[in-house]
Amino acid sequence: MNAPQSPNSTKVEQVKLLIDGQWVESKTTEWRDIVNPATQEVLARVPFATVEEVDAAVAAAQRAFQTWRNTPIGARMRIMLKLQALIREHTKRIAQVLSAEQGKTLADAEGDIFRGLEVVEHAASIGTLQMGEFAENVAGGVDTYTLRQPIGVCAGITPFNFPAMIPLWMFPMAIVCGNTFVLKPSEQDPLSTMLLVELALEAGVPAGVLNVVHGGKQVVDAICTHQDIKAISFVGSTEVGTHVYNLGSQHGKRVQSMMGAKNHAVVLPDANRTQTINALVGAAFGAAGQRCMATSVAVLVGKAREWLPDIKEAASKLKVNAGCEPGTDVGPVVSKRAKERVLGLIESGIKEGAKLELDGRDVKVPGYEQGNFVGPTLFSGVKTDMQVYTQEIFGPVLVTLEVDTLDEAIALVNANPFGNGTGLFTQSGAAARKFQSEIDIGQVGINIPIPVPVPFFSFTGSRGSKLGDLGPYGKQVVQFYTQTKTVTARWFDDDSVNDGVNTTISLR
Ligand code: NAD
């Protein structure tokens, strides 16, 4: 990551804050370059907002909540319908910006937007999602029902790797439930996020209902400690997510933190060989391995260990190039710092005795010599105490381990602290059933390499990959963004019945 800089060195776009429906130039003295990871071109500069600017955004959200919470559900839904249409219309344009600032291929950038768009589509059905419950006659003439009410100002803090999908996991569901929102996008690639925010305003999100502040630790800490923020959704690394969860919880907020991962694909020898290898290689090296659900470990069971040369061959055929170039499979990693970290971990794997089957360290990309490229890298003979296994590499590196039985594979996966996703490749229904039952990981794919659930389910990463009970999107997030109020009511027809004073707890 670049160090914060003075704003005046060259004339590049300065990203604005959004406060109370106005695009505001930050008064901060700290700015950071947004850099194209394939070229190092400075695309724009993002402010690290001041605490006063965070306060102003929260105050605007707090004021807007007073009217937005009473806006009819149908009106909120229609804004989401408009927003999904606008996102569809502008997908190609947003994908270009996203690919330029993040590095992923254009097709993958469109996928990033599409997976967020699906959440907006689902937000349009909030009418049935936010319904309460009703029980008639729970005691003589008494009914009990629940209201699912918005909780107030909510905040979202997002990572660099999905600058469209993850903001769209958050603000559409929060505001469609009647809350107002303060979004803090990743400082590494906020431009595509800001295009989505512009579309939200165009779709009719009123002033103050959605606000955006930019920055790093200071802004995040101001959000976590702000007395008027009721809930925080965080997606990012384990270290920061744990900090946000602890600080936000200490300050009385609901917090959900979706964090780092080490996702294992378990390959049984009865699996369909070609399809499995294609799935494995796509899930390991797609998006340059910078997906929280990337397959970063392959566990080859029994004779499946003989498939290693095929995995190596498929990985070596992937085309490394800038995300905007046609035919690219693997783009650059997001920053020079990220590249150095990935190279350091590859180095550690060699030193600790893993076998480097495919070495992506010296990949050359003609025309993009300055890009942060790392080619597909494959290790075999990896042991569970090696750093390439214990650390989330977040780069195009697949490590392979070998075991003899499915039971051993399940024990290995369950011993890893992370619990975001896992996959089993097999043609055996019995093995699949055993795996889904015994594996202690929140999201399981059966012959599916990246089992990210569609938005009418929820994202259910578990154990070390998550803090907080409820996950993003789906029914779980409606619970997260609402407060249940339970009403017990009795209506008297007239005053003629006199049962006398009752001093017991019973309602009858
Ligand atoms: P990150 O934790 O560095 O940044 C996430 C957010 O936290 C950013 O908005 C950033 O500005 C802020 N931040 C950074 N340092 C901070 C600090 N010291 N104090 C307070 N806030 C700080 O994560 P990243 O590198 O942008 O994203 C990659 C990570 O996100 C990976 O670990 C990946 O697995 C994880 N991720 C998880 C999921 C999931 O659903 N589990 C999804 C996507 C990404």
Side-chain angles (χ1 to χ4, degrees):
M1 228 182 288
N2 303 318
Q5 293 182 356
S6 128
N8 300 320
S9 42
T10 50
K11 282 241 172 294
V12 291
E13 180 199 336
Q14 304 202 154
V15 182
K16 301 282 191 295
L17 311 175
L18 176 65
I19 300 177
D20 210 5
Q22 303 296 314
W23 299 106
V24 177
E25 178 108 12
S26 175
K27 295 201 166 37
T28 185
T29 54
E30 272 190 47
W31 295 75
R32 195 165 292 229
D33 289 345
I34 301 161
V35 178
N36 181 323
T39 62
Q40 309 307 327
E41 178 196 357
V42 176
L43 301 171
R45 201 162 279 155
V46 65
F48 276 38
T50 64
V51 170
E52 292 71 32
E53 288 164 342
V54 176
D55 285 345
V58 178
Q62 180 77 334
R63 281 192 303 276
F65 181 60
Q66 306 315 320
T67 45
W68 181 245
R69 63 176 302 177
N70 294 320
T71 303
I73 229 165
R76 287 186 245 144
M77 285 165 60
R78 280 188 285 277
I79 291 174
M80 291 302 141
L81 283 172
K82 183 90 190 283
L83 179 57
Q84 69 79 29
L86 286 169
I87 295 172
R88 249 173 229 288
E89 188 186 331
H90 293 278
T91 291
K92 293 238 177 283
R93 179 171 69 91
I94 301 169
Q96 276 170 354
V97 173
L98 199 162
S99 170
E101 65 177 344
Q102 203 275 349
K104 61 179 73 174
T105 66
L106 282 169
D108 203 34
E110 286 190 30
D112 186 334
I113 298 161
F114 180 73
R115 292 308 301 260
L117 172 67
E118 288 185 308
V119 179
V120 181
E121 290 170 345
H122 193 231
S125 54
I126 193 65
T128 47
L129 291 172
Q130 205 176 341
M131 278 182 178
E133 295 173 311
F134 187 95
E136 188 182 26
N137 214 21
V138 297
V142 176
D143 304 324
T144 297
Y145 51 95
T146 57
L147 313 177
R148 281 213 163 274
Q149 297 190 309
I151 50 181
V153 181
C154 302
I157 301 160
T158 59
F160 81 84
N161 65 330
F162 281 100
M165 178 183 81
I166 291 174
L168 291 175
W169 279 4
M170 295 180 183
F171 76 78
M173 290 305 290
I175 68 180
V176 85
C177 288
N179 302 290
T180 55
F181 206 78
V182 177
L183 177 66
K184 207 299 286 172
S186 170
E187 71 284 12
Q188 298 193 72
D189 51 10
L191 299 176
S192 41
T193 311
M194 294 310 278
L195 293 178
L196 292 163
V197 169
E198 277 176 29
L199 295 183
L201 298 191
E202 194 181 331
V205 172
V209 170
L210 174 61
N211 304 272
V212 184
V213 290
H214 299 285
K217 180 171 170 54
Q218 190 188 26
V219 167
V220 168
D221 287 359
I223 288 170
C224 292
T225 55
H226 201 295
Q227 62 175 6
D228 292 332
I229 291 179
K230 302 291 181 225
I232 302 173
S233 298
F234 172 90
V235 179
S237 64
T238 301
E239 189 187 346
V240 179
T242 305
H243 165 73
V244 167
Y245 185 84
N246 290 339
L247 190 61
S249 303
Q250 279 161 15
H251 286 80
K253 295 164 207 337
R254 291 181 185 183
V255 188
Q256 52 175 200
S257 280
M258 306 303 129
M259 309 185 292
K262 199 79 181 171
N263 306 307
H264 298 62
V266 174
V267 182
L268 297 188
D270 72 347
N272 183 307
R273 188 163 176 156
T274 307
Q275 286 182 15
T276 301
I277 287 162
N278 288 344
L280 207 56
V281 168
F285 304 114
Q290 299 173 114
R291 294 182 183 131
C292 66
M293 291 287 279
T295 298
S296 47
V297 182
V299 183
L300 306 178
V301 182
K303 279 188 167 302
R305 69 189 72 199
E306 292 167 11
W307 298 10
L308 191 66
D310 296 20
I311 298 171
K312 178 175 167 176
E313 195 194 342
S316 64
K317 284 185 182 156
L318 295 176
K319 198 169 157 204
V320 181
N321 207 340
C324 62
E325 294 292 347
T328 302
D329 298 305
V330 180
V333 295
V334 72
S335 65
K336 282 188 181 299
R337 186 166 162 229
K339 178 174 173 174
E340 276 164 30
R341 188 177 163 277
V342 172
L343 295 184
L345 281 162
I346 295 173
E347 200 63 40
S348 79
I350 298 165
K351 280 197 189 123
E352 290 178 356
K355 183 168 179 215
L356 186 59
E357 300 276 353
L358 187 63
D359 184 357
R361 286 176 297 172
D362 287 326
V363 67
K364 300 274 180 291
V365 181
Y368 295 95
E369 285 74 11
Q370 300 305 312
N372 314 320
F373 295 99
V374 182
T377 298
L378 180 67
F379 278 110
S380 66
V382 170
K383 302 280 176 276
T384 54
D385 58 353
M386 294 178 179
Q387 284 181 68
V388 286
Y389 182 78
T390 58
Q391 304 287 311
E392 181 187 39
I393 301 176
F394 227 54
V397 182
L398 177 65
V399 306
T400 60
L401 290 85
E402 296 171 5
V403 296
D404 292 327
T405 64
L406 178 58
D407 281 317
E408 278 178 66
I410 291 172
L412 179 93
V413 178
N414 287 350
N416 189 284
F418 291 111
N420 222 28
T422 188
L424 178 73
F425 291 86
T426 183
Q427 292 195 55
S428 158
R433 196 163 183 279
K434 175 184 170 71
F435 186 79
Q436 74 183 28
S437 163
E438 295 180 16
I439 206 77
D440 189 9
I441 302 284
Q443 302 178 109
V444 179
I446 306 291
N447 299 313
I448 298 282
I450 305 185
V452 176
V454 289
F456 26 97
F457 292 88
S458 297
F459 190 92
T460 55
S462 65
R463 295 202 280 127
S465 297
K466 177 186 188 180
L467 284 168
D469 298 331
L470 299 168
Y473 65 78
K475 285 181 193 148
Q476 292 198 7
V477 101
V478 176
Q479 273 181 277
F480 183 77
Y481 288 136
T482 57
Q483 169 68 44
T484 304
K485 185 180 279 175
T486 309
V487 181
T488 304
R490 172 187 279 156
W491 295 95
F492 299 99
D493 286 336
D494 56 51
D495 205 16
S496 61
V497 180
N498 184 354
D499 293 335
V501 175
N502 186 350
T503 57
T504 64
I505 193 169
S506 167
L507 288 166
R508 267 173 280 178

